[in-house]
Amino acid sequence: MTEEPLEQRPSDLRIADTEAERDACYALRYRVFMEEMGFDIPTADHQRKLERTPEDSSAAQLYVSLGAEVIATMRLHHGSSPDLLPHFRAGFELLH
């Protein structure tokens, strides 16, 4: 029996609501940015292999999973968030 091609397998888009889900997002970012691309991100947690930054505190973490594996993630900032960092808030301000 052959396995379905990746693009034909069912996947889920979710918001990371739990610490475990957010850590799975940060772990994927660590693998991609630190291990695959070789970036040196000062805020990375090398012991736990998590890549997160202060900007994560005011963002919604979205992810796509294929079974139990997180295969994509993105950080989404909304201008009305009360926790939005000042440098992001300035970017969301509209001219009147």
Side-chain angles (χ1 to χ4, degrees):
M1 185 169 139
T2 58
E3 194 171 294
E4 279 184 289
L6 183 63
E7 64 274 5
Q8 293 178 5
R9 294 186 206 165
S11 59
D12 292 310
L13 172 63
R14 297 178 182 258
I15 296 174
D17 289 321
T18 68
E19 185 176 351
E21 289 173 319
R22 286 188 293 276
D23 282 352
C25 294
Y26 304 147
L28 177 60
R29 285 174 21 191
Y30 188 95
R31 283 193 307 276
V32 170
F33 294 129
M34 305 295 291
E35 294 175 352
E36 293 178 17
M37 299 177 80
F39 290 172
D40 181 22
I41 300 173
T43 56
D45 180 341
H46 297 290
Q47 273 191 313
R48 296 180 60 210
K49 294 192 171 195
L50 302 176
E51 189 282 307
R52 60 182 153 201
T53 65
E55 290 80 11
D56 290 312
S57 66
S58 64
Q61 300 291 332
L62 283 74
Y63 68 97
V64 176
S65 62
L66 193 60
E69 181 183 7
V70 173
I71 61 169
T73 185
M74 73 176 263
R75 180 170 50 193
L76 178 66
H77 293 276
H78 190 279
S80 67
S81 171
D83 299 326
L84 195 64
L85 297 174
H87 66 280
F88 278 120
R89 184 165 305 286
F92 283 109
E93 289 180 2
L94 300 176
L95 298 175
H96 297 282

